[in-house]
């Protein structure tokens, strides 16, 4: 969305994301706290409530501003 992400930020998912290999879906509006930026295909490592540890692409999240 244009905001610079940093380690420890809180982000919100902006699109329903189907988790590969399962029938689970991360819904729009899910808040993810304490992200960690990593190099590679999926540039965010995080723990999503109800789903556990996953990697997200930054194009599918929006930074929560305070």
């Amino acid at each position: 969305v244009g905001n610079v992400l940093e380690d420890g930020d809180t982000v919100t998912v902006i699109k329903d994301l189907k988790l590969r290999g399962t029938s689970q879906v991360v819904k729009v509006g899910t808040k993810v706290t304490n992200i960690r930026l990593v190099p590679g295909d999926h540039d965010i490592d995080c723990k999503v409530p109800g789903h556990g540890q996953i990697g997200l692409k930054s194009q599918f999240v929006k930074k929560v501003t305070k």
Side-chain angles (χ1 to χ4, degrees), residues 28-62:
V28 169
T30 302
K31 274 192 176 180
V32 181
T33 58
N34 201 20
I35 65 169
R36 188 178 69 207
L37 302 177
V38 294
D41 184 33
H42 292 82
D43 28 10
I44 299 173
D45 274 346
C46 57
K47 287 186 183 176
V48 177
H51 299 285
Q53 184 77 23
I54 64 170
L56 294 173
K57 291 186 177 184
S58 58
Q59 67 193 30
F60 299 119
V61 299
K62 163 174 98 167

Side-chain angles (χ1 to χ4, degrees), residues 1-55:
V1 178
N3 294 329
V4 178
L5 296 175
E6 298 176 3
D7 286 349
D9 281 346
T10 299
V11 296
T12 302
V13 177
I14 60 171
K15 178 181 177 183
D16 282 347
L17 302 173
K18 185 171 189 270
L19 298 179
R20 197 179 311 171
T22 69
S23 61
Q24 295 180 331
V25 175
V26 178
K27 297 286 188 180
V28 169
T30 302
K31 274 192 176 180
V32 181
T33 58
N34 201 20
I35 65 169
R36 188 178 69 207
L37 302 177
V38 294
D41 184 33
H42 292 82
D43 28 10
I44 299 173
D45 274 346
C46 57
K47 287 186 183 176
V48 177
H51 299 285
Q53 184 77 23
I54 64 170

